[in-house]
Amino acid sequence: MTLLQKLSLGYFVALMIAASLNYIPGLTDEAGLAFGIFALDIYDDALHVASALWALVAALLSHKAVRNFLILFGFAYLGDGIFGFFTGYGYLDLGIFTNEALGMEISMRRVLANLPHLALGGLAVWAGLRNLGQPK
């Protein structure tokens, strides 16, 4: 198993954890915000589970499948996080189409709400384009 395949298994775990946040008692506040920062709904959960399964299948298939996953997933999630700064909503869950834009804001809450997508997306793109741990 290559380094990218192991990384993809890590993405599987991280994304499944993200999908489960609403269902772990004590992680959401009375307003339904996870960690008091962002709201997740059934569409977000479905997106996280689908992405997690994509990561798992890619990891089990091949290094090339994982590389493709990391690059495509990475750009999609990175872009979603960037949109979050400009609009307050992402496009992967169709939030930019169903909510009025909140405008650009660089606040701690906005940073923390978008950081997971920026970090996961950025790392995925970097690792995929670098082709880390490619088979010999």
Side-chain angles (χ1 to χ4, degrees):
M1 183 169 276
T2 68
L3 180 60
L4 285 189
Q5 287 172 291
K6 291 175 186 175
L7 179 63
S8 191
L9 290 176
Y11 272 79
F12 167 73
V13 171
L15 290 162
M16 289 303 287
I17 290 170
S20 68
L21 289 177
N22 277 343
Y23 312 102
I24 301 172
L27 293 185
T28 55
D29 62 14
E30 52 281 340
L33 299 176
F35 307 111
I37 301 169
F38 50 84
L40 295 170
D41 58 24
I42 192 70
Y43 302 109
D44 297 310
D45 296 340
L47 176 66
H48 288 128
V49 169
S51 298
L53 293 175
W54 183 17
L56 177 63
V57 169
L60 297 175
L61 284 177
S62 69
H63 178 87
K64 182 179 178 181
V66 168
R67 185 168 185 257
N68 289 333
F69 158 75
L70 290 171
I71 292 169
L72 294 172
F73 166 89
F75 276 121
Y77 269 58
L78 183 60
D80 195 62
I82 291 168
F83 263 79
F85 277 112
F86 289 103
T87 68
Y89 300 98
Y91 56 77
L92 291 175
D93 66 353
L94 306 178
I96 63 169
F97 304 109
T98 59
N99 300 294
E100 187 175 330
L102 300 175
M104 177 71 171
E105 178 184 323
I106 304 291
S107 65
M108 186 56 74
R109 185 167 185 255
R110 185 80 60 98
V111 168
L112 293 174
N114 291 290
L115 189 60
H117 281 217
L118 295 171
L120 287 174
L123 176 61
V125 168
W126 177 79
L129 292 177
R130 293 276 322 255
N131 201 15
L132 297 177
Q134 61 188 319
K136 307 258 184 224

